[in-house]
Each structure stands twice: as structure tokens, then as C-alpha cells.
Amino acid sequence: MAQKPSIPKGTRDFSPLEMAKRNYIFNTIKDVYALYGFQQIETPAMENLSTLMGKYGEEGDKLLFRILNSGDFLSGMTAEDLTESNSAKVAGKLCEKGLRYDLTVPFARYVVQHREELALPFKRYQIQPVWRADRPQKGRYREFYQCDADVVGSESLLNEVELMQIVDTVFTRFGVRVCIKINNRKILTGIAEMIGQADKIVDITVAIDKLDKIGLDAVNAELAADGIPADAIEKLQPIIKLSGSNAEKLATMREVLSGSDTGLKGVDECEYILSKLTDLNNAIELDLTLARGLNYYTGAIFEVKALDVQIGSITGGGRYDNLTGIFGMPGLSGVGISFGADRIFDVLNQLDLYPKETVSATQLLFVNFGEAEADFCLKVLAKVRAAGVRAEIYPDSSKMKKQMSYANAKNIPFVAIVGETEMAEGKVNLKNMETGEQQMVAPDNLAAIIKG
Amino acid sequence: MAQKPSIPKGTRDFSPLEMAKRNYIFNTIKDVYALYGFQQIETPAMENLSTLMGKYGEEGDKLLFRILNSGDFLSGMTAEDLTESNSAKVAGKLCEKGLRYDLTVPFARYVVQHREELALPFKRYQIQPVWRADRPQKGRYREFYQCDADVVGSESLLNEVELMQIVDTVFTRFGVRVCIKINNRKILTGIAEMIGQADKIVDITVAIDKLDKIGLDAVNAELAADGIPADAIEKLQPIIKLSGSNAEKLATMREVLSGSDTGLKGVDECEYILSKLTDLNNAIELDLTLARGLNYYTGAIFEVKALDVQIGSITGGGRYDNLTGIFGMPGLSGVGISFGADRIFDVLNQLDLYPKETVSATQLLFVNFGEAEADFCLKVLAKVRAAGVRAEIYPDSSKMKKQMSYANAKNIPFVAIVGETEMAEGKVNLKNMETGEQQMVAPDNLAAIIKG
């Protein structure tokens, strides 16, 4: 046989079982999004490169997959263009379109393009693949799904509150225990203002994050090594040692940041959000080391960690002002979350949390003994399918053993055997594949037994 | 404001309402596929060009969207390569990957690549977008979804029977009256054999198809103009004039094709399939002019026409032998169908057949009068959402008029108004937006009223 065909590196096929699990994840998230009034949109896989370029930093531009212009893409290019060996410049002439890199920029583009049709605030969710020409590695793919929900056009913190409720509900439905961490960009800005080291905020959060591992002295040494002056490090001590309940942390921060209006605004926002979230099933915790998307977020920052599996953040998000400004529509604030489908898939696998019924496909297989028997089965099939049972007949009258292997391979829980005896009685011999038990069942009673 | 951003020609954004309608279509099809034991898979948007090239004819190769190699894609190209102005050759060096053109070739690739994991017959369905660099025009897009189901690894005609039952069930669920047309490639081959004009079979079906419009004499004249000899045209007369019930047509064909083993095999196959399909809700009709995918199909050919809307075929399919032979795994026969989602969308729109509940999003909006009222509403919201009601609170305490416009724009059927009076009573004032009727309702009774 010829060499097996393959797929591009960093991409995946999803088997029936994987799809059933992924559908369970997506459907759970979709249901909860809908429960909170979010509506689904979809945007094209291809966007104009003018929409995508410059939105993800220089590194991001390099990771865009570009689509070769169709037709005679070389026309209009000079010999000079082509022999320059300047890939970036040549790419600009060869390609006008690229594959979606995330769902946020297409969403911003959508809002601006369709602004006349939209009722603001616009609460949308979107579950689609994105593509990045990253170096593939364990858990990092070149094609993967994002599951985003965003509210645009409202500055109310109730949006943050509801997004955290969504996170809590989704993971409760999955049966995954999580810790929701929140922070606020304004608090981080306040800290930087306070110590006069605006450009060092990332270094500071990175160092603080190591407290548990390396201890206070080592953290202070690292801060000094980062070039932060001794008096600033001194001022940071209450923040590095911050602990206790959310209320205690907020009280400390309010004191430490008393000189920064922005910082206090951040404390107020956190306090408001936490005060509305007293009924969550999962813990929610103020965590100053949370600095994701720092160049991007302007208010609340969220991250979700699974408690029972060692894995990175499985959901994240935050508030960004001026999302649509890049497309000429300033002044719209947005806040959103994104569930990490691939990591959630791994978590549910590791904890074996998929409900049995969501990953079961066919419930009943009719064995095929020949045309007369098949004719009988087709009538019964019509009946059970009308009752909502997922059922099939083995299409060929192959050997019994082969048909039973098929039932096993497909994990089908019930097999109906119809031979001459059964036809004469007008019944089917129903075998429970788990217990091995067999019983004669009238067609009208089949669906009820199979549905348990 | 800057110029509005746009999307590549031939692509589309889908609004919340369009998505709700499309989800209704996809979910209906998915449910029926699952009822017949088909399981979903997904394949990557990008395939290696070696997988795609040469599978869709020369014209198809030109319509592939190619992905520029990432990194320094010019390295390894000589100045000569680049200045040849030979787009096809240069494209071959610049690109190794292309976007999926249909779901059939990726499915064949999937079957070969994963053959060790598969239990044959393999019944898979797949609902994903495909991309073609076609000239965009009304109803033809560069990105569109296909909804395919195929059985591979079984030659049994029961597969054809079940696929037609699926078609019948899906359109019955949609409430769309259709005519299912079937033909068989072997019958067409038999006709060609019989008149000794194997290469003229397409011309013949095209001419016959015009009988109703232009009459027998004109059809015969066209056949002559196509270069078909008079004696062959004479032999074709019973076929051109073929009419009556399926049984009558089959009897005629059996007589006409008595000299062709292949032709008679085709008649047998049609007869078997039709004999098992006597209980359909829709008409099924033998139609010899059906010649879709003639280079491709080897047995049954299907097509579905809507009876109440003027539009092309809305579903099609057929049997193809040796699907996986192109990837080095010969001898596997397949049969499949593909629902045309975009056309079905148009048909359901024209006939206004979307069930109301499938296109409704938020069911209940809480008006926001300020923080105290919002706090009260958040508790009620938790209650109704737990009962499965899709509900939201307007995030800002904006003017009542603005909040009511939002409810109208989003087509929300119920609005809950909570002010001081309601809070004092521990109730909400529920307004039915359709009738204008208002009533005071206890939080525990809300969900039941809204769910009707």
C-alpha cells in the first residue's frame, strides 16, 4: 500500500468519540452563554490582511497564515520585487487575505461593519477555529477552537459579574472544581505609579508570583536585580506579603494605594464585582500577580485554574477599552471571556467527567441475517427511530461474529437479533451488551427499554 | 469616521438571527444523521496540497485556496523560478497547504490515515465549511458549509435506502415538500452501450431533460446535432418518452436494456431501492436525466428538488466505488449525501418555516433602575436561569426608553420591571411585549409563565 496520507503539522483530525466529547463541551458553554442572553455570530475564516495586520504585534503578524491571491498572482509584480528576497515585502504583494488569528479582532471588525444593525450593548458569543503559524508542540496547535463571549458598548461592572457567573456555572456543569482569579489593570497601574516604576510592572508581578516558591528575601533580591530601587521595594512589601480574605486584601490595597486615584478605582471595581459574587459554587480570589494581556486589558482581568489537574489557565478574559477604535469607531468599551476548549478537553479526560450519554452514539444495532429479516427490521427501525432511539441495521448479512464485533467497536449497548423464530412471533430478541442478558421484546416496547 | 472595514468578497458574516436559523438547519440534520447511526468527525481546514491536487480536475486545482508557506518562503527559490511568470509553477513552490475544497476528499484521506482505528462499515457525518476561489455571484460563495453523510466499506443497497429515509425525514422535519429523484450510473452506461455512443451520455441526458420544454421533435433534432446517428436516436425513443409510475418506467427500461448486463444491474438496483421506500412522506421518482457527478458516481445517483420554491437541487449524492483508491487503499465502496445548507436556508426563509422558538434568543429582560433594584433582579435572575429561562438584565441604569428599545431590537418577549413597589412586595412587574399586558408575579412563578 502507498504511503499513508497525512495532515499539516499542528493540525488534527477529530474522531467520532473526540467529536462527541468536544460537542459536549461546546454545547454546555453555548447553553450557558444563551442563558445569559448572549447570541452567536460567525465570521469568515479569511479576513483581509488589512484587518489583521498590526493587531497582534510584530510577532503576531509573522504568525498569520496568508492566502495566496488566486488567479495570476504574479502579474503586477516586477522582477525586482521577486528577487529582493524580502519575504515580508513579497508576501504583502502575493497575498491580500489571511486566516483568522483570534476571534476578538474579527469581532471588532464585525461591530464596526454592522454598527447600524446592532442594538448596544451587544452581547455576542462565537465558537470557531483560529489559525496560528506557531511552532507546534504538546498542547499547542496551529488550528484550534476559541469559545469567546464579549459584551461591547457597556461600561457597567454588572457585565463582569455576569461573566464570572457564567464561568462558575459552566465549570459547575462540567463537574470541574476551579478557582477564579481576578485582578484589575488599574490596581497594577496604581502600584507602578506609587513606586514610580511604570515600566517595571511585569517584572514586579513575575517576582511576586514566586513568593511561595522562593520566599520573601529571594523575591526582594530579584526585584533589586530587576533594577527596582530599595525605597520602591520597601513600599512594595505590603503588596508582596498580601494575604488573607479578599476583603482583607482589598483593605490593605486601599491603604497602600491611597495616593493613586487610578489604583483606588481598581480597588473599588474589584470590591464591587466580588460583592455581587457571594453565591458562586467555586472560589473567587483577588490575585495581584495576574497580569495576562497587560497591553490589552484596561480594567478587570480574569483567569481560571482547575484545582484537580496540573494545567495552565483554562479560561481567561478581561475588560478592554476602545476595542473598535482600531477600525475607526472609538469610545466603545468591551469585556469578554474565552474558554480554552483544548485544555478543558484534557481536564475532563483526566478526571473522566464526560457524562455517559453524551459520548454514546448508536443505541441499538439490528443484526442482518438476509433480505427477509432485514425487511422486518426496517419496519421496527422506523418505529424506534420515531421514538428517538439512535439505531442502525448492519447493512450486509455478514457473519454474526463480524456484526457483533462492529457493535463492540462502536460501543453499542443493545443488539437486536431477528431470525425466523422472532419474525414468526413478531418480536425481536434484544441483547444487552453489557450484561449479556437477552429477552424477547415486542417492537412497541423496544424504545422504552432502550431509553432505560 | 474611517472607511468601514470589510470582508473578502464571496465570504459572509452571520448575524445572531442568521446563526439561529442555520443552527436550526444543522441541528435538525445532525439529529437525523445520529438517529441512523452516523457519527460526526472533523478534519482540519488546511490539507496538504498533495492531498487536494488532482482530485477535482484541472478546473478544481485552480479553485483551491493556497496557504503561503510560513517563515522565509522565498528561501530555496531561485531568481529564475521567480521571474518565470509561471504562476502555477511558482505557487507549487510557495505553498504546501491549501484550504479544504470539499468534505469528500478529506474524508477519503481520513479513512486511509485512520484505517486501523475504524470499524467498517464506517458511517460518518461532517458539517464544516469549504472554500473555493470561484467567481462570487448570487447564491455562490467562496466559503460555504457542506453537510455530508457517507457510508464507506459496504456495498449493500440498504445504505442507499437509509440515506433516502434520512432525506425524507429531514425535509419532513423542516416542513418542506420535496421530490427525491434517483437514477443509476449503470443505467446510463447501459444506454450508452446499447446505442454504441459511450461518450455521448451527457449530451443525451441534457437533450432528454428538455422534452417538456421543447417537445420530442426538437429533442431528436438536438440529438442529431450532437452527432448521434439516426439509428441510435431511433433506439433512444422509448427512453426519451419514458413516463408513468416508477414500476412502469423500470419495466420499460428492463426491456430496452435487455442487451446490457450493466444496464440491467442498474435497473435491479433502482428496483430494490424503490421497493424498500414505500413509506416515505415525500415522492421518490426515477429520473433518467439525473446525471450529476457522472465522472464520479458508479451506482445510485440522488437529487432532491423543493416543490414549492424555484431553486436548484437542495440535496444530492450517490455511490462511488473506490473512494480511497486515490490514497492507496483500493476496494472500498462508498455512498453518501450532501445537504445544501445555503439553499435550504433560502427555502426555509421563503416559505417562512423556521419554528418560532428556534430563532428566539433572550426570553426575559430585567430593566435596570439602579444598584439596589439590580441587586434584587440578580437574585431573581439566578432563579429563572436555574429553571432554564434565557434571561438578562440591562447592564446600565439607562433611561427606560433606551432599555425598552433594546428589548424590542432583540425581540425579547417578556420584560420584568422592578422598582421600589415591586421590591417592597417581593415581586416583579412582568410585561408581555406582544400583548402589552402587565402583571405582578412572584419570582418562583416567573419561569413557568415565561415558558408558557
Side-chain angles (χ1 to χ4, degrees):
Chain A
M1 188 174 289
Q3 208 194 330
K4 264 193 191 180
S6 64
I7 50 178
K9 65 178 174 181
T11 69
R12 291 166 289 174
D13 285 325
F14 295 106
S15 71
L17 179 61
E18 287 164 335
M19 279 307 297
K21 291 178 172 180
R22 290 167 65 84
N23 283 335
Y24 166 67
I25 293 172
F26 293 140
N27 289 336
T28 302
I29 295 170
K30 278 168 130 171
D31 284 350
V32 178
Y33 280 157
L35 220 42
Y36 280 77
F38 287 77
Q39 295 181 291
Q40 191 174 14
I41 68 162
E42 281 191 4
T43 62
M46 299 188 273
E47 293 275 354
N48 292 320
L49 279 173
S50 57
T51 298
L52 301 176
M53 296 283 289
K55 310 304 188 300
Y56 308 105
E58 211 172 304
E59 202 43 45
D61 282 353
K62 283 191 198 146
L63 300 183
L64 293 173
F65 278 111
R66 292 146 194 266
I67 316 266
L68 196 66
N69 292 340
S70 38
D72 184 12
F73 57 85
L74 287 178
S75 80
M77 293 193 72
T78 64
E80 211 173 69
D81 286 338
L82 288 165
T83 50
E84 264 184 307
S85 284
N86 179 341
S87 289
K89 192 170 165 200
V90 174
K93 299 209 171 193
L94 292 174
C95 304
E96 283 166 7
K97 297 180 286 291
L99 292 180
R100 184 167 58 216
Y101 178 91
D102 72 358
L103 301 179
T104 307
V105 167
F107 172 55
R109 192 266 310 144
Y110 180 96
V111 170
V112 177
Q113 191 174 331
H114 299 276
R115 59 182 177 265
E116 275 97 12
E117 307 149 34
L118 299 181
L120 293 183
F122 182 47
K123 300 168 78 169
R124 86 86 171 79
Y125 76 86
Q126 191 168 354
I127 299 181
Q128 290 191 277
V130 302
W131 295 269
R132 296 181 185 179
D134 244 324
R135 190 179 302 275
Q137 51 181 262
K138 189 177 178 310
R140 191 197 283 168
Y141 303 100
R142 293 186 144 192
E143 173 181 68
F144 58 97
Y145 271 76
Q146 293 193 330
C147 313
D148 288 16
D150 294 80
V151 188
V152 71
S154 163
E155 288 171 24
S156 165
L157 295 173
L158 274 183
N159 298 302
E160 276 83 341
V161 170
E162 293 215 317
L163 288 172
M164 293 306 93
Q165 290 178 333
I166 287 174
V167 167
D168 185 61
T169 306
V170 164
F171 288 108
T172 302
R173 291 192 177 190
F174 286 145
V176 173
R177 298 191 318 131
V178 297
C179 178
I180 303 172
K181 298 180 174 228
I182 76 161
N183 193 9
N184 195 296
R185 170 63 194 264
K186 297 186 179 96
I187 291 180
L188 296 178
T189 305
I191 294 171
E193 273 180 20
M194 183 193 81
I195 59 167
Q197 300 282 329
D199 56 325
K200 290 280 171 22
I201 191 67
V202 171
D203 291 338
I204 294 170
T205 58
V206 166
I208 297 178
D209 198 26
K210 296 183 184 164
L211 181 65
D212 286 347
K213 249 192 215 149
I214 64 178
L216 184 60
D217 289 347
V219 167
N220 286 335
E222 186 166 322
L223 289 170
D226 287 336
I228 297 171
D231 63 328
I233 295 178
E234 188 53 39
K235 283 190 201 160
L236 280 174
Q237 294 308 301
I239 293 169
I240 299 173
K241 292 187 276 190
L242 194 70
S243 67
S245 68
N246 291 329
E248 287 164 343
K249 287 181 185 172
L250 286 169
T252 306
M253 292 308 301
R254 193 176 291 287
E255 211 177 293
V256 175
L257 293 174
S258 59
S260 161
D261 285 348
T262 305
L264 288 177
K265 182 91 190 334
V267 174
D268 285 344
E269 290 184 8
C270 278
E271 191 161 49
Y272 176 90
I273 295 167
L274 290 168
S275 74
K276 305 295 176 197
L277 293 172
T278 50
D279 288 337
L280 297 189
N281 297 305
N282 290 285
I284 183 162
E285 186 186 286
L286 180 65
D287 181 351
L288 292 190
T289 67
L290 202 66
R292 56 175 288 136
L294 206 55
N295 298 319
Y296 186 71
Y297 293 127
T298 52
I301 305 174
F302 321 118
E303 207 166 278
V304 179
K305 300 277 281 181
L307 294 184
D308 302 312
V309 175
Q310 285 285 353
I311 200 165
S313 154
I314 54 178
T315 293
R319 179 172 288 273
Y320 39 84
D321 289 331
N322 206 15
L323 169 70
T324 54
I326 40 172
F327 296 116
M329 190 182 177
L332 276 191
S333 182
V335 56
I337 51 172
S338 184
F339 286 94
D342 286 307
R343 285 189 176 165
I344 293 171
F345 180 86
D346 289 344
V347 168
L348 296 188
N349 264 336
Q350 280 189 50
L351 302 177
D352 195 16
L353 287 176
Y354 292 100
K356 207 175 164 189
E357 69 275 14
T358 63
V359 293
S360 84
T362 300
Q363 299 163 291
L364 173 62
L365 174 75
F366 286 82
V367 171
N368 186 339
F369 286 132
E371 188 170 350
E373 291 84 353
D375 283 348
F376 180 94
C377 293
L378 284 179
K379 288 194 174 52
V380 185
L381 267 168
K383 214 180 266 282
V384 295
R385 284 176 179 149
V389 174
R390 297 184 299 278
E392 56 183 298
I393 179 167
Y394 195 86
D396 304 272
S397 52
S398 309
K399 284 194 180 132
M400 181 76 169
K401 196 181 159 201
K402 191 172 176 192
Q403 300 191 42
M404 295 308 273
S405 312
Y406 176 84
N408 281 323
K410 256 185 122 167
N411 229 338
I412 300 175
F414 289 96
V415 169
I417 300 160
V418 174
E420 274 178 32
T421 323
E422 288 78 13
M423 286 170 67
E425 281 194 48
K427 293 191 173 176
V428 311
N429 184 348
L430 184 69
K431 179 171 184 179
N432 181 321
M433 295 291 280
E434 207 171 322
T435 63
E437 194 191 351
Q438 288 185 232
Q439 57 176 317
M440 292 293 273
V441 178
D444 283 338
N445 303 332
L446 256 185
I449 294 173
I450 284 154
K451 291 169 124 178
Chain B
M1 186 174 291
Q3 209 193 330
K4 266 192 191 181
S6 64
I7 49 179
K9 65 178 175 180
T11 69
R12 290 165 289 174
D13 285 325
F14 294 106
S15 71
L17 179 61
E18 287 164 335
M19 279 308 296
K21 290 178 172 181
R22 290 167 65 85
N23 283 336
Y24 166 68
I25 293 172
F26 293 140
N27 289 336
T28 302
I29 295 171
K30 278 168 130 170
D31 284 350
V32 178
Y33 280 157
L35 219 42
Y36 280 76
F38 286 77
Q39 294 181 289
Q40 191 174 14
I41 68 162
E42 282 191 3
T43 62
M46 298 188 274
E47 293 275 353
N48 292 320
L49 279 174
S50 57
T51 299
L52 301 176
M53 296 283 289
K55 309 304 188 300
Y56 307 106
E58 211 172 305
E59 201 45 43
D61 283 353
K62 285 191 197 145
L63 299 184
L64 293 172
F65 277 112
R66 291 146 194 267
I67 317 266
L68 196 65
N69 293 340
S70 37
D72 184 11
F73 57 86
L74 287 179
S75 80
M77 294 193 69
T78 63
E80 212 173 69
D81 285 337
L82 287 165
T83 49
E84 266 185 305
S85 284
N86 179 343
S87 290
K89 192 169 165 199
V90 175
K93 300 210 171 193
L94 293 173
C95 304
E96 282 166 9
K97 296 180 286 291
L99 293 179
R100 184 168 57 216
Y101 179 91
D102 71 359
L103 302 178
T104 308
V105 167
F107 172 55
R109 192 265 312 144
Y110 180 97
V111 169
V112 177
Q113 191 175 331
H114 301 274
R115 58 181 177 266
E116 275 97 12
E117 308 149 33
L118 299 182
L120 293 183
F122 181 47
K123 300 168 78 171
R124 87 86 172 78
Y125 76 87
Q126 192 169 354
I127 299 183
Q128 290 192 277
V130 302
W131 295 270
R132 296 182 185 180
D134 244 323
R135 189 180 302 275
Q137 51 181 261
K138 190 178 178 308
R140 191 198 283 166
Y141 304 100
R142 292 184 146 194
E143 173 181 67
F144 58 98
Y145 272 76
Q146 292 193 330
C147 313
D148 287 16
D150 294 79
V151 188
V152 72
S154 163
E155 289 171 23
S156 165
L157 295 173
L158 274 183
N159 298 302
E160 276 84 341
V161 170
E162 293 215 317
L163 288 172
M164 294 304 93
Q165 289 178 333
I166 287 175
V167 166
D168 186 61
T169 306
V170 165
F171 288 107
T172 301
R173 290 192 178 190
F174 285 145
V176 174
R177 299 191 316 133
V178 298
C179 178
I180 303 171
K181 296 177 176 232
I182 76 161
N183 193 9
N184 195 296
R185 170 63 194 265
K186 296 187 179 95
I187 291 180
L188 297 177
T189 304
I191 294 171
E193 271 180 21
M194 184 193 80
I195 60 167
Q197 300 282 328
D199 56 325
K200 289 281 172 20
I201 192 67
V202 171
D203 292 337
I204 293 170
T205 59
V206 166
I208 295 178
D209 199 26
K210 295 184 185 165
L211 181 67
D212 286 347
K213 247 191 215 149
I214 63 177
L216 183 61
D217 290 347
V219 168
N220 286 334
E222 188 167 320
L223 290 170
D226 287 335
I228 296 169
D231 62 328
I233 295 178
E234 187 53 39
K235 283 190 199 159
L236 280 173
Q237 293 309 299
I239 292 168
I240 299 172
K241 291 186 277 191
L242 194 71
S243 67
S245 68
N246 290 328
E248 287 164 343
K249 287 180 183 172
L250 286 168
T252 305
M253 293 307 300
R254 194 174 291 284
E255 211 178 292
V256 174
L257 293 173
S258 59
S260 161
D261 285 348
T262 305
L264 287 177
K265 182 93 189 333
V267 174
D268 285 344
E269 290 185 8
C270 278
E271 191 162 49
Y272 177 90
I273 295 167
L274 290 168
S275 75
K276 305 295 176 199
L277 293 171
T278 50
D279 288 337
L280 298 189
N281 296 307
N282 291 285
I284 182 161
E285 186 184 286
L286 179 65
D287 181 350
L288 292 191
T289 67
L290 203 66
R292 57 176 288 136
L294 204 56
N295 299 319
Y296 186 70
Y297 293 127
T298 51
I301 305 173
F302 321 117
E303 207 168 277
V304 179
K305 300 277 282 182
L307 293 184
D308 303 311
V309 175
Q310 285 285 353
I311 201 165
S313 155
I314 55 178
T315 293
R319 179 172 286 275
Y320 40 85
D321 289 331
N322 206 15
L323 169 70
T324 54
I326 41 172
F327 295 116
M329 189 182 178
L332 276 192
S333 182
V335 57
I337 52 171
S338 184
F339 286 94
D342 286 307
R343 285 188 176 166
I344 292 171
F345 180 87
D346 289 344
V347 168
L348 295 189
N349 264 335
Q350 280 190 48
L351 301 177
D352 195 17
L353 287 175
Y354 292 100
K356 207 175 163 189
E357 70 276 12
T358 63
V359 294
S360 84
T362 301
Q363 298 163 291
L364 172 62
L365 174 75
F366 286 81
V367 171
N368 186 339
F369 285 132
E371 188 169 351
E373 290 84 353
D375 283 349
F376 180 94
C377 293
L378 284 179
K379 289 194 174 50
V380 185
L381 266 168
K383 213 180 267 280
V384 295
R385 283 176 180 149
V389 174
R390 297 185 299 277
E392 56 183 299
I393 179 167
Y394 195 86
D396 304 274
S397 52
S398 310
K399 284 192 181 136
M400 180 78 170
K401 196 182 159 202
K402 191 172 175 192
Q403 300 192 41
M404 295 307 273
S405 311
Y406 175 84
N408 281 323
K410 254 185 124 168
N411 230 338
I412 300 175
F414 289 96
V415 169
I417 299 160
V418 174
E420 275 178 31
T421 324
E422 288 79 11
M423 285 168 68
E425 281 194 49
K427 294 193 172 175
V428 311
N429 183 349
L430 184 70
K431 180 171 181 178
N432 180 320
M433 295 292 279
E434 208 172 320
T435 64
E437 196 191 350
Q438 288 185 231
Q439 56 177 319
M440 292 293 273
V441 178
D444 283 338
N445 302 332
L446 257 185
I449 293 173
I450 284 153
K451 291 169 124 179

